[in-house]
């Protein structure tokens, strides 16, 4: 199992300052440690006069972390000018200060513990549903390993365009969107190593000309890998949503995902139960996967349940056909559940907005 934050911090006691005997933890230099599924980031306050030691310390920190867990995928070491201990920061704090997308009011990530639970379906329908509520919405396909947005939004006929600096988002079904799936050959396997994944995600997120948006919905890759860490480092989020199916086996992964976001400084807005139940031709409700499993999980974690979306043939067919608007026009139950979910999400965003400090720039 990948090392956690506490284990990494303990291990960093083995890294001794070149100047004088003390380890970097005892010397009070650690400003932040984040560890999630093999991706570790360490922020260290180092006085300017010690700068020549940086390269050596970086190498020793990386070696110490890899000694603890040889399977570690990535070790990011960042040095900051010395700051008081109480100023310890999460990856989000830096992103909030930099705020690279000042014209976007709310950035909301959609994550899931594992693939196939309908995360992209939920992200796409959240974006389209919010647009139907009159909001200006962007959808960033952050699932750089397996982008679904080109199919789910029907982008086959569209070609990427832009200037040398900025990509122009595609405008479809009332939303703006950008996906790596339209920038690389569609059938090419998308294998990214840690730093490449970081770069690809960052470029998609920050070099797209989003303009003014009420919401930027980010469809994340499944699990707890390096993309969520990059996301947390590069842009300030209002919160994250966890998509989960009702079965017990899906929930351990979902709990892990739900616990990852706060470690990165990102609040979790709530849980959506997808494939909750099925309505047969006889009009009866069938709880194929055991409706309510994700609701119990959300309750145990103290998180709001934002919606319960049924198994619905039209939802799958409209996804394959690239026309999510039909989900809001056809089958009443589906449209009602999806709209209720979008509204519940907005209500949580309002609450989160009220409790977060805001910066006004005049
Ligand atoms: P993920 O992003 O979690 O890998 P997707 O959103 O790509 O999952 O969904 C996987 C497949 O399941 C897709 O074909 C999608 O259309 C289908 N699907 C998702 N949710 C539902 C649902 N509630 N009812 C019917 N099909 C669904």
């Amino acid at each position: 199992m990948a090392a956690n934050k506490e284990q990494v911090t303990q291990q960093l006691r083995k890294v001794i300052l070149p100047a004088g005997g003390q380890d970097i933890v005892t010397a009070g230099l650690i400003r932040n440690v984040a560890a999630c599924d093999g991706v570790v980031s360490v922020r260290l306050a180092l006085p300017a006069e010690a700068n020549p030691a940086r390269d050596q310390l970086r190498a020793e920190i990386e070696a110490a972390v890899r000694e603890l867990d040889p399977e570690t995928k990535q070790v990011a070491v960042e040095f900051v000018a010395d700051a008081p201990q109480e100023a310890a920061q999460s990856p989000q704090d830096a992103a909030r200060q930099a705020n690279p997308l000042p014209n976007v009011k709310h950035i909301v990530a959609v994550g899931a513990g594992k693939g196939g639970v309908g995360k992209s379906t939920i992200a796409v329908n959240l974006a389209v549903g919010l647009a139907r509520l009159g909001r200006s919405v962007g959808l960033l396909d952050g699932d750089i390993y397996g982008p679904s947005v080109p199919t789910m939004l029907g982008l086959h006929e569209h070609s990427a365009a832009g200037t040398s600096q900025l990509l122009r988002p595609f405008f479809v079904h009332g939303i703006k969107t950008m996906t790596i799936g339209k920038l690389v050959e569609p059938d090419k396997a998308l294998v990214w190593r840690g730093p490449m994944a970081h770069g690809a995600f960052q470029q998609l997120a920050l070099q797209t000309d989003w303009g003014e948006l009420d919401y930027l919905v980010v469809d994340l890759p499944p699990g707890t890998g390096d993309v969520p860490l990059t996301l947390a480092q590069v842009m300030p989020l209002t919160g994250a949503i966890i998509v989960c199916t009702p079965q017990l086996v899906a929930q351990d992964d979902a709990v892990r995902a739900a616990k990852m976001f706060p470690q990165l400084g990102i609040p979790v807005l709530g849980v959506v139960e997808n494939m909750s139940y099925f309505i047969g031709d006889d009009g009866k409700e069938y709880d194929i996967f055991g409706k309510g499993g994700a609701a119990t999980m959300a309750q145990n974690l103290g998180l709001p349940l934002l919606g319960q979306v049924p198994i619905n043939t039209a939802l799958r067919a409209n996804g394959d056909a690239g026309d999510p608007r039909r989900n809001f026009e056809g089958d009443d139950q589906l449209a009602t559940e999806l709209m209720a979910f979008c509204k519940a999400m907005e209500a949580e965003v309002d609450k989160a907005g009220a409790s977060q400090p805001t910066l006004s720039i005049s």
Side-chain angles (χ1 to χ4, degrees):
M1 202 163 142
N4 62 29
K5 179 179 169 169
E6 286 71 33
Q7 291 166 322
V8 171
T9 308
Q10 272 309 319
Q11 181 75 359
L12 292 178
R13 291 186 184 278
K14 293 189 177 171
V15 179
I16 308 294
L17 282 169
Q22 262 191 333
D23 70 80
I24 57 175
V25 179
T26 310
L29 297 183
I30 304 294
R31 290 295 171 265
N32 186 58
V33 174
C36 206
D37 265 16
V39 179
V40 172
S41 91
V42 178
R43 183 177 295 134
L44 209 68
L46 203 63
E49 63 269 21
N51 278 356
R54 285 185 175 188
D55 287 346
Q56 187 187 336
L57 279 175
R58 189 189 302 276
E60 286 184 20
I61 289 169
E62 179 155 0
V65 173
R66 291 194 188 282
E67 182 193 79
L68 176 68
D69 175 11
E71 306 283 281
T72 301
K73 292 181 215 147
Q74 192 188 344
V75 184
V77 182
E78 190 193 346
F79 295 99
V80 293
D82 205 2
Q85 187 83 51
E86 2 359 315
Q89 287 193 327
S90 76
Q92 269 289 272
D93 292 325
R96 288 211 173 93
Q97 277 156 19
N99 195 14
L101 297 174
N103 297 325
V104 178
K105 282 195 199 132
H106 295 290
I107 303 175
V108 175
V110 180
K114 57 180 176 182
V117 299
K119 170 189 54 59
S120 298
T121 303
I122 294 295
V124 162
N125 285 283
L126 173 63
V128 173
L130 287 170
R132 292 178 76 89
L133 288 170
R135 317 292 176 246
S136 50
V137 185
L139 173 67
L140 169 63
D141 188 356
D143 194 346
I144 54 170
Y145 303 96
S148 307
V149 163
T151 300
M152 288 191 176
L153 291 182
L155 298 180
H156 304 296
E157 303 295 315
H158 296 248
S159 322
T163 63
S164 56
Q165 257 107 53
L166 282 180
L167 292 161
R168 194 177 318 137
F170 304 98
F171 189 72
V172 281
H173 313 297
I175 63 171
K176 292 176 183 170
T177 189
M178 183 45 69
T179 169
I180 196 97
K182 291 300 294 180
L183 305 177
V184 297
E185 285 169 40
D187 52 356
K188 199 171 158 197
L190 297 175
V191 184
W192 304 99
R193 285 182 298 113
M196 286 163 72
H198 179 89
F201 179 85
Q202 186 164 344
Q203 277 183 27
L204 271 190
L206 303 185
Q207 290 179 20
T208 296
D209 188 6
W210 295 110
E212 301 223 345
L213 293 180
D214 293 314
Y215 291 98
L216 179 61
V217 176
V218 185
D219 181 16
L220 285 175
T224 50
D226 32 29
V227 172
L229 178 60
T230 299
L231 170 79
Q233 285 168 338
V234 301
M235 48 201 204
L237 276 92
T238 303
I241 293 170
I242 309 293
V243 183
C244 183
T245 50
Q247 310 95 305
L248 211 51
V249 287
Q251 286 166 28
D252 287 348
D253 297 305
V255 168
R256 225 191 324 260
K259 289 190 172 167
M260 164 189 71
F261 288 106
Q263 281 187 30
L264 299 172
I266 301 170
V268 178
L269 298 171
V271 174
V272 191
E273 185 173 82
N274 187 33
M275 311 195 201
S276 245
Y277 58 95
F278 172 75
I279 298 181
D281 291 341
D282 53 8
K284 280 197 201 145
E285 195 175 302
Y286 294 90
D287 299 341
I288 295 178
F289 296 136
K291 183 180 180 184
T296 310
M297 182 202 89
Q299 203 176 16
N300 291 341
L301 291 173
L303 293 171
L305 180 70
L306 300 174
Q308 290 182 302
V309 178
I311 299 172
N312 183 290
T313 316
L315 186 58
R316 201 270 311 141
N318 294 336
D320 283 353
D323 193 356
R325 275 179 305 188
R326 287 209 206 132
N327 296 327
F328 296 86
E329 291 158 359
D331 179 283
D332 277 349
Q333 180 105 12
L334 178 63
T336 308
E337 295 284 1
L338 288 175
M339 237 30 213
F341 155 55
C342 294
K343 288 178 184 164
M345 202 269 340
E346 277 217 295
E348 290 305 320
V349 163
D350 286 347
K351 281 192 219 160
S355 62
Q356 267 176 18
T358 51
L359 277 179
S360 61
I361 296 162
S362 52

